[in-house]
């Protein structure tokens, strides 16, 4: 594409604000939505990891309490 | 609150959360690839079309954004309302997340329709806005999308929110009907613009192809976004279930 043709494409016969305003908004919406989607998935996975840690911690505490109870009976 | 969604090992025809999650994951890359490829091809074709071939000069290029966004806003509203009604009133065997997966994308398409429509109307007809049926109906769809999302986010418990949200979207179905009818009738703001598939043949072949490609790109993008959001919603809805754990990284 020649520089003149590129300049004509950018200028859009004076309609640049309206045409590129539409294209840029469409691209911005797609980018923003993609960012929101990635963040939402990351947050969901982090919450599940945290829940797994808490459940593992709770299971560990329950096992430790049971072990203490057996030691108490044995003593 | 435990949810008694079907057991993961239920009948193969039952859409369990795990099956929905994995099925959405299989379709997602194809939708995304289609969106990127057809979008690139449509944009290239649309931008290279000469001004002589354009019905209203350079400003008509806005159609490559406005027409797909408008079509998708209507399609997504109908789909969101249908899914919301199914989830809210019929209690299907899946968590009530499908309508919530579509709603944000539909709202964005409605907004883009109104934005690009205003940018198209101003240079050609001297007005950003006109109080006519088509614009009012589109604005009402946007308002209802936003209200639906706010309602579902605010109400505690998936069941109550699903029912209330379904009834809210049902209120907007007459507006959708008005919008569809107004698209095919004479409108004082719009000139002789091909607004339906039946009117596409009046366009030059290259423009027609560009419009179809950008339409496909928008549709595939909305599909990819909805599938990705659905997967996240399913993970959020099922924190206590065993199946999400299989998708976490090993400790």
């Amino acid at each position: 594409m020649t520089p003149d043709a590129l300049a004509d494409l950018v200028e859009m016969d004076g309609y640049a604000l309206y045409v590129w305003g539409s294209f840029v908004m469409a691209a911005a919406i797609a980018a923003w939505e993609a960012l929101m989607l990635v963040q939402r998935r990351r947050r969901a996975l982090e919450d599940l990891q945290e829940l797994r840690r808490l459940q593992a911690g709770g299971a560990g505490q329950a096992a430790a309490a049971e072990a203490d109870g057996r030691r108490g009976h044995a003593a | 609150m435990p949810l008694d969604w079907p057991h993961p090992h239920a009948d193969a025809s039952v859409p369990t959360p795990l099956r929905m999650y994995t099925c959405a994951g299989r379709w997602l890359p194809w939708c995304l690839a289609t969106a990127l490829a057809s979008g690139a091809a449509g944009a290239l074709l649309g931008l290279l079309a000469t001004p002589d071939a354009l019905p209203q000069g350079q400003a008509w290029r806005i159609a490559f954004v406005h027409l797909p966004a408008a079509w998708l806003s209507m399609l997504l509203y109908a789909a969101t309302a249908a899914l919301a009604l199914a989830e809210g009133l019929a209690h299907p065997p899946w968590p009530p997340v499908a309508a919530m997966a579509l709603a944000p994308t539909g709202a964005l398409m409605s907004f883009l329709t109104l934005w690009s429509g205003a940018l198209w109307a101003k240079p050609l007809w001297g007005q950003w806005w006109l109080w006519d049926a088509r614009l009012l109906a589109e604005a009402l769809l946007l308002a209802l999308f936003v209200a639906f999302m706010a309602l579902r986010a605010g109400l505690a418990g998936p069941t109550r929110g699903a029912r209330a949200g379904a009834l809210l979207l049902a209120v907007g179905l007459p507006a959708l009907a008005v919008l569809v009818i107004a698209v095919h009738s004479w409108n004082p703001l719009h000139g002789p613009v091909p607004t339906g598939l039946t009117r596409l043949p009046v366009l030059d072949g290259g423009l027609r192809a560009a419009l179809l490609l950008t339409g496909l790109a928008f549709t595939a993008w909305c599909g990819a976004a909805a599938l990705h959001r659905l997967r996240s919603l399913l993970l959020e809805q099922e924190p206590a279930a065993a199946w999400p754990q299989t998708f976490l990284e090993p400790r």
Side-chain angles (χ1 to χ4, degrees):
Chain A
M1 183 177 276
T2 63
D4 284 343
L6 187 61
D8 289 341
L9 186 68
V10 171
E11 194 194 339
M12 291 282 176
D13 286 347
Y15 293 115
L17 172 68
Y18 309 101
V19 177
W20 293 116
S22 301
F23 285 10
V24 166
M25 178 56 77
I29 280 174
W32 183 77
E33 189 174 22
L35 184 64
M36 292 294 110
L37 287 170
V38 166
Q39 284 184 344
R40 183 167 198 159
R41 179 173 171 81
R42 187 178 302 141
R43 214 165 32 241
L45 290 172
E46 283 171 357
D47 288 346
L48 286 173
Q49 292 276 16
E50 183 63 28
L51 185 66
R52 185 164 70 175
R53 271 194 293 274
L54 288 172
Q55 287 173 338
Q61 285 173 5
E66 190 179 351
D68 284 343
R70 281 201 296 274
R71 278 199 294 274
H73 281 300
Chain B
M1 182 174 71
L3 300 171
D4 56 346
W5 307 119
H7 191 275
H9 300 296
D11 187 300
S13 63
V14 174
T16 64
L18 173 59
R19 287 197 188 114
M20 291 173 73
Y21 185 89
T22 50
C23 183
R26 276 197 296 270
W27 281 96
L28 181 55
W30 292 105
C31 285
L32 192 57
T34 303
L36 294 174
S38 56
L44 206 64
L45 209 57
L47 288 174
L48 292 179
T50 62
D52 291 343
L54 297 172
Q56 294 165 343
Q58 298 278 23
W60 200 88
R61 295 190 203 274
I62 299 174
F64 297 120
V65 169
H66 180 70
L67 296 185
W71 182 75
L72 271 168
S73 70
M74 291 190 278
L75 176 69
L76 286 173
Y77 189 89
T80 307
L83 283 169
L85 285 167
E87 291 172 342
L89 304 179
H91 305 293
W94 67 74
V97 294
M100 274 302 294
L102 285 177
T105 305
L108 289 172
M109 288 298 111
S110 282
F111 170 76
L112 187 60
T113 302
L114 291 169
W115 175 275
S116 55
L119 286 174
W120 198 353
K122 180 59 179 174
L124 294 182
W125 298 294
Q127 291 171 280
W128 293 106
W129 179 263
L130 188 69
W131 294 101
D132 78 337
R134 190 188 308 203
L135 273 71
L136 281 173
E138 187 69 55
L140 182 60
L141 293 192
L142 175 58
L144 287 170
F145 268 128
V146 173
F148 173 74
M149 290 187 288
L151 187 71
R152 291 294 301 272
L155 283 180
T159 307
R160 283 178 60 206
R163 192 171 296 131
L167 295 175
L168 180 68
L169 288 181
V171 165
L173 287 174
L176 180 63
V178 166
L179 186 54
V180 170
I181 293 167
V183 163
H184 296 287
S185 68
W186 179 81
N187 184 297
L189 182 62
H190 288 72
V193 176
T195 53
L197 286 175
T198 54
R199 301 187 200 179
L200 276 182
V202 303
L203 291 176
D204 173 75
L207 286 184
R208 189 159 64 244
L211 201 53
L212 288 172
L213 282 168
T214 51
L216 177 62
F218 271 71
T219 308
W221 172 263
C222 289
L227 290 172
H228 197 286
R229 192 176 292 111
L230 178 68
R231 284 160 59 86
S232 296
L233 283 166
L234 286 169
L235 290 177
E236 290 167 10
Q237 288 283 326
E238 300 264 289
W243 71 266
Q245 302 291 333
T246 60
F247 297 102
L248 296 178
E249 289 174 2
R251 274 170 285 188

